[in-house]
Structures are given as C-alpha cells and as structure tokens.
C-alpha cells in the first residue's frame, strides 16, 4: 500500500474544526483577511482535546480559533461543495503546516505563539477594558472538578453556579446593547457563555422568567469540545 504523502482534499481536517491562531497570523488580521467575527475565544480553563496528550484538559492559556459554521466546528472558511478552503492562499499557519499523514509539525506548534484577545484588541478600544473586566469577574470555573463531581453536586453548588451563569449573561447583554455586538462578536470578546460550558458537561439549562436554571444530568459526560 502506498503511503500518503500529500493532501487528498478530503476535508476531514477542516470539518474537525478551524485552526488556532498564532502570532505569525497577525498580518492576516492586519490585512483584513481575518476579522474578529470569524474568531471564537477559547478561554483559560475551558476543557478541550489536547492533541499532545490525547486527552481532555483545561486550557492553560487562552487562544483564538477560527469559528465553526452554525453550531458545528466545521471551519467557517471550508466550502463543502468545492471541498476546499475559501481563503487557501491566506490560510493560517496551522493549516499551512498541517499534514494529516505526518503530525510532527502541527504537534510541535501546539500551544506555542498563540494569539490572545489582548494581542489584537488595541489599547483605547473600550471593549478591551470590558473583556479584561469580564475575565476578572467571570473566569471559567474549574470544569474538570465540576465534571468529576457533577453527579454529587449539592443544591447549594448548583444554585451558586446558577448565580454565576446568570450574572455572566447579564454582563454580556449589557455589553451587547452598549456596543451593538453581533453573536459572533460576543463569542470573540467574551468567549462562550458559562452556561454553555456547563451544558457540555451534561447539565441541562432551562430558561425561566427568573433566569437560567440548571439541572442535574442523568448521565454525565466527562468531556467537552
Ligand atoms: S482556514 Fe481553510 S484550510 Fe484552514 S481549516 Fe479552515 S477551511 Fe480548512
């Protein structure tokens, strides 16, 4: 059997998710090829698949990732009808060096030179102060511990989480109103809402007149994307 040594344009990599962005990608942002609306911020503490250890681990340093199409992780620049990248000549570094048949280079890049929000939201932009404040007020909780103890969570713990997720939401709504942010911009400036991160652990979230209520899961899962 011949060993694969080139991209077969199957689209699997792009469907698994857009790339993380690195300092080498800054010119793409400066030239306007990539805009904030195309990013999602993965905040410190969120649980993701660590390609090096091949396990689900909390993120040590926040990073930016090209967001997915609708609710999927399929890269927003992937055109399924043509099995191709719509920004191929300007694709980010991680896409350029990715070789699915030989992952040494991409694993060598993992976790290095990552771009964060503060690298690209310039001083003087009022949203810079706002995202710093949001990070201080609503850091990502210890999701790994929560996922381990989720089935034993007391009512008090769930109530405490509910208070935090509702305050996080209220903060976002105020910022959305004040700065007229789209959903995409919100996901860049503030990352995913805390209630969404908890639902990935198995909690169910229900909207009520007094805010979002969380429920114990029947069958908790131990991982989140
Ligand atoms: S930027 Fe292009 S090459 Fe990279 S994951 Fe998206 S569609 Fe694929």
């Amino acid at each position: 059997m011949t060993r694969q040594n080139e991209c077969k344009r199957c689209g699997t990599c792009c469907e698994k998710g857009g790339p993380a962005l690195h300092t080498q990608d800054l010119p793409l942002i400066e030239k306007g090829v990539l805009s904030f609306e195309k990013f999602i911020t993965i905040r410190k503490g969120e649980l993701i698949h660590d390609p090096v250890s091949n396990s689900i681990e909390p993120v040590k340093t926040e990073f930016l990732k090209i967001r997915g199409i609708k609710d999927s992780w399929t890269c927003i620049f992937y055109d399924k009808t043509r099995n191709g990248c719509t920004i191929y000549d300007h694709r980010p570094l991680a896409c350029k060096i990715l070789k699915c048949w030989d992952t040494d280079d991409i694993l060598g890049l993992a976790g290095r030179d990552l771009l964060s929000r503060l690298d690209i939201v310039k001083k003087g932009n009022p949203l810079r102060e706002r995202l710093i404040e949001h990070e201080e007020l609503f850091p990502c909780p210890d999701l790994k511990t929560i996922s381990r103890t989720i089935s034993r969570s007391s009512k008090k713990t769930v109530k405490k989480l509910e208070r935090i997720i509702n305050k996080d939401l209220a903060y976002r709504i105020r910022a959305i109103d004040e700065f007229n942010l789209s959903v995409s911009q919100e996901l860049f400036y503030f990352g995913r809402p805390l209630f969404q991160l908890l639902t990935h652990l198995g909690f169910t979230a229900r909207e009520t007149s007094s805010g979002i209520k969380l429920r114990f899961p029947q069958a908790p899962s131990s991982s989140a994307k």
Side-chain angles (χ1 to χ4, degrees), residues 36-37 179-190:
F36 295 178
E37 290 83 7
F179 296 99
N180 200 19
L181 300 179
S182 63
V183 174
S184 311
Q185 288 169 327
E186 179 207 337
L187 291 177
F188 164 68
Y189 284 110
F190 303 115

Short mmCIF file of all heavy atoms in Angstrom, two decimals, residues 36-37 179-190:
data_model
loop_
_atom_site.label_atom_id
_atom_site.label_comp_id
_atom_site.label_asym_id
_atom_site.label_seq_id
_atom_site.Cartn_x
_atom_site.Cartn_y
_atom_site.Cartn_z
N PHE A 36 -12.48 39.83 13.52
CA PHE A 36 -12.87 39.32 14.84
C PHE A 36 -14.11 38.42 14.77
O PHE A 36 -14.24 37.47 15.52
CB PHE A 36 -13.18 40.47 15.80
CG PHE A 36 -12.00 41.34 16.14
CD1 PHE A 36 -12.16 42.45 16.97
CD2 PHE A 36 -10.74 41.08 15.65
CE1 PHE A 36 -11.09 43.27 17.29
CE2 PHE A 36 -9.65 41.88 15.95
CZ PHE A 36 -9.83 42.98 16.78
N GLU A 37 -15.02 38.76 13.84
CA GLU A 37 -16.28 37.99 13.75
C GLU A 37 -16.03 36.53 13.38
O GLU A 37 -16.90 35.69 13.53
CB GLU A 37 -17.23 38.58 12.70
CG GLU A 37 -17.84 39.92 13.06
CD GLU A 37 -16.89 41.06 12.74
OE1 GLU A 37 -15.84 40.81 12.13
OE2 GLU A 37 -17.21 42.21 13.12
N PHE A 179 -22.60 48.13 22.91
CA PHE A 179 -21.68 48.20 21.76
C PHE A 179 -22.29 47.64 20.48
O PHE A 179 -21.60 47.51 19.47
CB PHE A 179 -20.38 47.44 22.09
CG PHE A 179 -19.61 48.05 23.22
CD1 PHE A 179 -19.70 47.53 24.51
CD2 PHE A 179 -18.82 49.17 23.00
CE1 PHE A 179 -18.99 48.10 25.56
CE2 PHE A 179 -18.11 49.74 24.05
CZ PHE A 179 -18.20 49.20 25.33
N ASN A 180 -23.57 47.27 20.58
CA ASN A 180 -24.28 46.74 19.40
C ASN A 180 -23.52 45.55 18.80
O ASN A 180 -23.24 45.51 17.60
CB ASN A 180 -24.42 47.88 18.37
CG ASN A 180 -25.52 47.58 17.39
OD1 ASN A 180 -26.39 46.74 17.67
ND2 ASN A 180 -25.47 48.21 16.23
N LEU A 181 -23.21 44.58 19.64
CA LEU A 181 -22.41 43.43 19.20
C LEU A 181 -23.28 42.35 18.57
O LEU A 181 -24.40 42.09 19.04
CB LEU A 181 -21.68 42.80 20.40
CG LEU A 181 -20.71 43.68 21.19
CD1 LEU A 181 -20.11 42.87 22.35
CD2 LEU A 181 -19.60 44.20 20.28
N SER A 182 -22.75 41.71 17.54
CA SER A 182 -23.41 40.53 16.99
C SER A 182 -23.05 39.34 17.87
O SER A 182 -22.14 39.42 18.70
CB SER A 182 -22.92 40.28 15.56
OG SER A 182 -21.54 39.99 15.59
N VAL A 183 -23.73 38.20 17.64
CA VAL A 183 -23.40 36.99 18.41
C VAL A 183 -21.94 36.61 18.18
O VAL A 183 -21.21 36.24 19.10
CB VAL A 183 -24.33 35.82 18.00
CG1 VAL A 183 -23.91 34.53 18.68
CG2 VAL A 183 -25.77 36.14 18.35
N SER A 184 -21.50 36.71 16.92
CA SER A 184 -20.12 36.34 16.60
C SER A 184 -19.13 37.23 17.35
O SER A 184 -18.12 36.75 17.87
CB SER A 184 -19.85 36.49 15.11
OG SER A 184 -20.84 35.86 14.37
N GLN A 185 -19.44 38.51 17.40
CA GLN A 185 -18.54 39.43 18.12
C GLN A 185 -18.54 39.11 19.61
O GLN A 185 -17.50 39.16 20.26
CB GLN A 185 -18.97 40.88 17.88
CG GLN A 185 -18.66 41.34 16.46
CD GLN A 185 -19.32 42.68 16.15
OE1 GLN A 185 -20.41 42.98 16.63
NE2 GLN A 185 -18.68 43.47 15.32
N GLU A 186 -19.71 38.77 20.13
CA GLU A 186 -19.78 38.40 21.56
C GLU A 186 -18.88 37.20 21.85
O GLU A 186 -18.15 37.17 22.85
CB GLU A 186 -21.23 38.07 21.94
CG GLU A 186 -21.37 37.66 23.40
CD GLU A 186 -22.55 36.73 23.65
OE1 GLU A 186 -23.49 36.73 22.85
OE2 GLU A 186 -22.49 35.99 24.65
N LEU A 187 -18.92 36.20 20.96
CA LEU A 187 -18.12 34.99 21.17
C LEU A 187 -16.62 35.28 21.07
O LEU A 187 -15.81 34.56 21.63
CB LEU A 187 -18.51 33.90 20.17
CG LEU A 187 -19.90 33.32 20.39
CD1 LEU A 187 -20.24 32.30 19.31
CD2 LEU A 187 -20.01 32.66 21.76
N PHE A 188 -16.29 36.32 20.34
CA PHE A 188 -14.89 36.70 20.31
C PHE A 188 -14.52 37.47 21.58
O PHE A 188 -13.57 37.13 22.27
CB PHE A 188 -14.58 37.56 19.07
CG PHE A 188 -13.28 38.29 19.20
CD1 PHE A 188 -12.08 37.58 19.20
CD2 PHE A 188 -13.24 39.66 19.39
CE1 PHE A 188 -10.87 38.24 19.37
CE2 PHE A 188 -12.04 40.33 19.56
CZ PHE A 188 -10.84 39.60 19.55
N TYR A 189 -15.29 38.52 21.90
CA TYR A 189 -14.89 39.39 23.02
C TYR A 189 -15.00 38.69 24.38
O TYR A 189 -14.19 38.93 25.27
CB TYR A 189 -15.73 40.67 23.04
CG TYR A 189 -15.31 41.66 21.98
CD1 TYR A 189 -16.11 41.93 20.88
CD2 TYR A 189 -14.08 42.31 22.07
CE1 TYR A 189 -15.71 42.83 19.90
CE2 TYR A 189 -13.67 43.20 21.09
CZ TYR A 189 -14.49 43.45 20.01
OH TYR A 189 -14.07 44.34 19.05
N PHE A 190 -16.00 37.81 24.54
CA PHE A 190 -16.22 37.23 25.88
C PHE A 190 -16.15 35.70 25.91
O PHE A 190 -16.36 35.10 26.96
CB PHE A 190 -17.58 37.69 26.42
CG PHE A 190 -17.71 39.19 26.49
CD1 PHE A 190 -18.62 39.87 25.71
CD2 PHE A 190 -16.87 39.94 27.32
CE1 PHE A 190 -18.72 41.26 25.75
CE2 PHE A 190 -16.96 41.32 27.37
CZ PHE A 190 -17.88 41.98 26.58
#
